[in-house]
Short mmCIF file of all heavy atoms in Angstrom, two decimals:
data_model
loop_
_atom_site.label_atom_id
_atom_site.label_comp_id
_atom_site.label_asym_id
_atom_site.label_seq_id
_atom_site.Cartn_x
_atom_site.Cartn_y
_atom_site.Cartn_z
N ASP A 233 7.44 -20.58 89.80
CA ASP A 233 6.59 -21.38 90.68
C ASP A 233 6.86 -21.05 92.14
O ASP A 233 6.70 -21.90 93.01
CB ASP A 233 6.83 -22.87 90.41
CG ASP A 233 8.31 -23.23 90.53
OD1 ASP A 233 9.13 -22.33 90.80
OD2 ASP A 233 8.65 -24.41 90.36
N HIS A 234 7.29 -19.82 92.39
CA HIS A 234 7.73 -19.49 93.75
C HIS A 234 6.61 -19.52 94.78
O HIS A 234 6.86 -19.74 95.96
CB HIS A 234 8.47 -18.16 93.75
CG HIS A 234 9.83 -18.25 93.11
ND1 HIS A 234 10.75 -17.24 93.10
CD2 HIS A 234 10.42 -19.29 92.43
CE1 HIS A 234 11.85 -17.63 92.46
NE2 HIS A 234 11.67 -18.86 92.04
N GLU A 235 5.39 -19.33 94.32
CA GLU A 235 4.29 -19.42 95.28
C GLU A 235 4.18 -20.85 95.82
O GLU A 235 4.00 -21.07 97.03
CB GLU A 235 2.96 -19.03 94.61
CG GLU A 235 1.81 -19.04 95.61
CD GLU A 235 0.49 -18.60 94.98
OE1 GLU A 235 0.53 -17.95 93.91
OE2 GLU A 235 -0.56 -18.91 95.56
N GLU A 236 4.35 -21.80 94.93
CA GLU A 236 4.32 -23.21 95.34
C GLU A 236 5.44 -23.51 96.35
O GLU A 236 5.25 -24.24 97.32
CB GLU A 236 4.47 -24.09 94.09
CG GLU A 236 4.30 -25.57 94.35
CD GLU A 236 4.59 -26.40 93.09
OE1 GLU A 236 4.77 -25.80 92.00
OE2 GLU A 236 4.67 -27.64 93.20
N ILE A 237 6.60 -22.91 96.08
CA ILE A 237 7.74 -23.14 96.98
C ILE A 237 7.45 -22.56 98.35
O ILE A 237 7.69 -23.20 99.38
CB ILE A 237 9.03 -22.53 96.38
CG1 ILE A 237 9.33 -23.20 95.02
CG2 ILE A 237 10.20 -22.69 97.34
CD1 ILE A 237 10.58 -22.68 94.32
N VAL A 238 6.90 -21.35 98.38
CA VAL A 238 6.56 -20.73 99.67
C VAL A 238 5.54 -21.59 100.41
O VAL A 238 5.66 -21.83 101.61
CB VAL A 238 6.01 -19.30 99.47
CG1 VAL A 238 5.47 -18.76 100.80
CG2 VAL A 238 7.10 -18.38 98.94
N ASN A 239 4.56 -22.09 99.68
CA ASN A 239 3.55 -22.91 100.35
C ASN A 239 4.15 -24.17 100.95
O ASN A 239 3.79 -24.58 102.06
CB ASN A 239 2.44 -23.28 99.37
CG ASN A 239 1.57 -22.09 99.05
OD1 ASN A 239 1.50 -21.13 99.83
ND2 ASN A 239 0.91 -22.11 97.89
N MET A 240 5.07 -24.76 100.24
CA MET A 240 5.69 -25.95 100.80
C MET A 240 6.54 -25.60 102.01
O MET A 240 6.58 -26.32 102.99
CB MET A 240 6.52 -26.68 99.74
CG MET A 240 6.96 -28.03 100.25
SD MET A 240 7.70 -29.10 99.00
CE MET A 240 6.34 -29.47 97.95
N ALA A 241 7.21 -24.46 101.95
CA ALA A 241 8.04 -24.04 103.08
C ALA A 241 7.17 -23.79 104.31
O ALA A 241 7.53 -24.16 105.43
CB ALA A 241 8.83 -22.79 102.72
N LEU A 242 6.02 -23.20 104.10
CA LEU A 242 5.11 -22.94 105.21
C LEU A 242 4.66 -24.25 105.84
O LEU A 242 4.61 -24.38 107.07
CB LEU A 242 3.88 -22.19 104.71
CG LEU A 242 4.01 -20.69 104.72
CD1 LEU A 242 2.86 -20.06 103.95
CD2 LEU A 242 3.99 -20.19 106.17
N LYS A 243 4.33 -25.18 105.00
CA LYS A 243 3.89 -26.49 105.50
C LYS A 243 5.01 -27.14 106.31
O LYS A 243 4.79 -27.68 107.39
CB LYS A 243 3.53 -27.36 104.29
CG LYS A 243 2.67 -28.54 104.61
CD LYS A 243 2.25 -29.26 103.33
CE LYS A 243 2.23 -30.76 103.54
NZ LYS A 243 2.17 -31.51 102.28
N ARG A 244 6.22 -27.05 105.78
CA ARG A 244 7.35 -27.64 106.49
C ARG A 244 7.58 -26.97 107.83
O ARG A 244 7.79 -27.62 108.86
CB ARG A 244 8.61 -27.52 105.63
CG ARG A 244 9.90 -28.00 106.30
CD ARG A 244 10.03 -29.49 106.32
NE ARG A 244 10.10 -30.04 104.98
CZ ARG A 244 11.22 -30.30 104.31
NH1 ARG A 244 12.38 -30.10 104.91
NH2 ARG A 244 11.18 -30.78 103.10
N LEU A 245 7.55 -25.64 107.82
CA LEU A 245 7.76 -24.90 109.06
C LEU A 245 6.71 -25.29 110.09
O LEU A 245 7.01 -25.56 111.25
CB LEU A 245 7.70 -23.40 108.78
CG LEU A 245 7.81 -22.48 110.00
CD1 LEU A 245 9.13 -22.67 110.73
CD2 LEU A 245 7.63 -21.02 109.59
N LYS A 246 5.48 -25.33 109.64
CA LYS A 246 4.36 -25.67 110.52
C LYS A 246 4.54 -27.06 111.12
O LYS A 246 4.24 -27.29 112.28
CB LYS A 246 3.08 -25.65 109.66
CG LYS A 246 1.85 -25.15 110.36
CD LYS A 246 0.78 -24.83 109.32
CE LYS A 246 -0.61 -24.89 109.91
NZ LYS A 246 -1.63 -24.41 108.97
N GLY A 247 5.04 -27.97 110.32
CA GLY A 247 5.24 -29.32 110.83
C GLY A 247 6.45 -29.41 111.74
O GLY A 247 6.38 -30.03 112.81
N LYS A 248 7.50 -28.75 111.37
CA LYS A 248 8.76 -28.95 112.07
C LYS A 248 8.86 -28.18 113.39
O LYS A 248 9.54 -28.62 114.32
CB LYS A 248 9.93 -28.53 111.16
CG LYS A 248 11.23 -29.16 111.57
CD LYS A 248 12.06 -29.55 110.38
CE LYS A 248 13.18 -30.49 110.81
NZ LYS A 248 13.95 -31.02 109.68
N ILE A 249 8.17 -27.06 113.46
CA ILE A 249 8.29 -26.24 114.66
C ILE A 249 7.73 -26.97 115.89
O ILE A 249 8.06 -26.64 117.02
CB ILE A 249 7.56 -24.89 114.47
CG1 ILE A 249 8.11 -23.84 115.42
CG2 ILE A 249 6.07 -25.05 114.61
CD1 ILE A 249 7.54 -22.47 115.18
N ARG A 250 6.92 -27.99 115.62
CA ARG A 250 6.31 -28.71 116.75
C ARG A 250 7.23 -29.75 117.35
O ARG A 250 7.08 -30.09 118.52
CB ARG A 250 5.01 -29.38 116.31
CG ARG A 250 3.99 -28.37 115.82
CD ARG A 250 2.65 -29.00 115.70
NE ARG A 250 2.28 -29.69 116.92
CZ ARG A 250 1.18 -30.40 117.06
NH1 ARG A 250 0.35 -30.51 116.05
NH2 ARG A 250 0.91 -31.00 118.20
N TYR A 251 8.12 -30.28 116.57
CA TYR A 251 8.96 -31.32 117.16
C TYR A 251 10.46 -31.07 117.03
O TYR A 251 11.26 -31.95 117.28
CB TYR A 251 8.58 -32.71 116.63
CG TYR A 251 8.73 -32.91 115.15
CD1 TYR A 251 9.93 -33.40 114.64
CD2 TYR A 251 7.70 -32.64 114.26
CE1 TYR A 251 10.08 -33.59 113.29
CE2 TYR A 251 7.85 -32.82 112.90
CZ TYR A 251 9.04 -33.31 112.43
OH TYR A 251 9.20 -33.49 111.09
N GLU A 252 10.83 -29.85 116.67
CA GLU A 252 12.21 -29.44 116.83
C GLU A 252 12.23 -27.99 117.27
O GLU A 252 11.41 -27.20 116.82
CB GLU A 252 13.01 -29.65 115.53
CG GLU A 252 13.16 -31.12 115.21
CD GLU A 252 14.27 -31.40 114.23
OE1 GLU A 252 15.30 -30.70 114.27
OE2 GLU A 252 14.10 -32.33 113.42
N PRO A 253 13.15 -27.65 118.12
CA PRO A 253 13.14 -26.30 118.70
C PRO A 253 13.72 -25.26 117.75
O PRO A 253 14.71 -24.61 118.05
CB PRO A 253 14.01 -26.47 119.95
CG PRO A 253 14.95 -27.57 119.62
CD PRO A 253 14.23 -28.49 118.67
#
Side-chain angles (χ1 to χ4, degrees):
Chain A
D233 54 359
H234 288 187
E235 183 177 341
E236 187 185 351
I237 300 179
V238 171
N239 288 337
M240 190 170 292
L242 271 168
K243 199 174 142 194
R244 175 78 62 94
L245 176 61
K246 216 165 156 172
K248 202 142 194 175
I249 203 174
R250 299 193 51 184
Y251 61 91
E252 292 198 34

